[in-house]
Amino acid sequence: QVQLVESGGGLVQAGGSLRLSCAASGLPFTNYDMGWFRQAPGKEREFVASINWIGTNTYHADSVKGRFTISRDNAKNTVYLQMNSLKPEDTALYYCAAARTQWDYWGQGTQVTVSS
């Protein structure tokens, strides 16, 4: 059974930092690209960042470029999202996902709330 379990969310003041983690189990981790998405109340889920299976290629949404960094540790079956210079508009439920040709598996999400 595939599980993606996010952690590291919380309440932080604007300008602060958080590091999200997503631990994967039940799948061959190095066969999957990994990604982070987020969904704010009343809005559609949006792409945040992705990383290829070996960690050599990363993509970040324009809204987070220069502030967020995705990375992965294949020895630990974990993907991370380092979030710096957080803004109130970054408040959302953050999900990790795993992809072969499409986003096949999703976690339950971790809440990030940024106060002004």
Side-chain angles (χ1 to χ4, degrees):
Q1 181 182 357
V2 174
Q3 282 193 310
L4 301 177
V5 180
E6 302 95 337
S7 61
L11 174 63
V12 64
Q13 287 190 330
S17 298
L18 284 173
R19 187 196 195 201
L20 305 184
S21 299
C22 172
S25 60
L27 78 171
F29 189 66
T30 54
N31 284 8
Y32 286 82
D33 296 344
M34 299 296 295
W36 287 96
F37 294 76
R38 67 186 182 185
Q39 187 167 19
K43 295 187 177 181
E44 293 188 352
R45 185 164 54 192
E46 64 173 353
F47 169 82
V48 175
S50 66
I51 187 167
N52 70 336
W53 70 276
I54 199 173
T56 54
N57 291 328
T58 61
Y59 301 92
H60 297 80
D62 287 344
S63 58
V64 306
K65 203 169 291 183
R67 300 187 298 121
F68 292 10
T69 303
I70 189 171
S71 62
R72 67 189 292 163
D73 185 337
N74 286 345
K76 296 182 178 179
N77 284 9
T78 301
V79 62
Y80 304 97
L81 186 68
Q82 178 65 45
M83 305 187 297
N84 299 327
S85 302
L86 282 160
K87 304 175 181 180
E89 52 263 43
D90 294 319
T91 295
L93 188 62
Y94 283 72
Y95 300 89
C96 73
R100 293 290 292 273
T101 57
Q102 60 184 2
W103 297 107
D104 298 300
Y105 301 106
W106 295 84
Q108 293 299 306
T110 185
Q111 178 68 37
V112 172
T113 302
V114 184
S115 64
S116 56

